[in-house]
Amino acid sequence: MNTEFKASETVKILVEERIVPIQHYLSQPERVVKAIAENTPMEHLSGDRYLLKMRPLNFMDLYEFQPTVVLKVWSADHGIIHLDSQEYDIKGLDAHK
């Protein structure tokens, strides 16, 4: 049996005007991915695709697993940034796509 989950969310955030407009920052997807990843290991795969390895999670000291995700990140006009989760893997569990 295949199970599929899908989600979509639109976020609008008011940003104060600065000397360098926010659209300049958002037009550089790699900077956005680095902000999302913070201290998480990130690898630029190709073009607009990035591999993020989330920190390992421990469940009741019995199981340890580490989610990884391939994100496609691209910018559009007017400071719009798109994130699309294209692949995932959970190391330590037998669940992957």
Side-chain angles (χ1 to χ4, degrees):
M1 174 194 335
N2 289 334
T3 304
E4 184 175 321
F5 298 97
K6 212 167 208 175
S8 177
E9 185 173 347
T10 299
V11 179
K12 291 185 179 186
I13 302 171
L14 293 176
V15 179
E16 293 180 23
E17 288 293 322
R18 299 288 181 180
I19 294 171
V20 178
I22 189 74
Q23 288 85 351
H24 177 71
Y25 173 78
L26 294 175
S27 68
Q28 302 169 55
E30 188 165 346
R31 291 181 73 181
V32 174
V33 173
K34 285 181 180 179
I36 292 169
E38 292 186 289
N39 296 327
T40 302
M42 179 205 56
E43 179 183 342
H44 183 205
L45 298 175
S46 65
D48 51 8
R49 292 174 39 121
Y50 301 85
L51 174 68
L52 278 71
K53 296 179 181 178
M54 312 315 278
R55 69 180 161 82
L57 303 170
N58 190 315
F59 181 71
M60 298 176 56
D61 290 330
L62 297 174
Y63 303 101
E64 182 172 298
F65 49 96
Q66 180 181 30
T68 61
V69 64
V70 173
L71 284 180
K72 178 179 178 182
V73 182
W74 70 100
S75 60
D77 294 336
H78 310 296
I80 296 172
I81 191 90
H82 297 274
L83 302 161
D84 181 31
S85 173
Q86 296 193 319
E87 299 173 31
Y88 71 88
D89 188 17
I90 303 176
K91 298 194 184 314
L93 297 180
D94 287 339
H96 60 85
K97 182 176 178 181

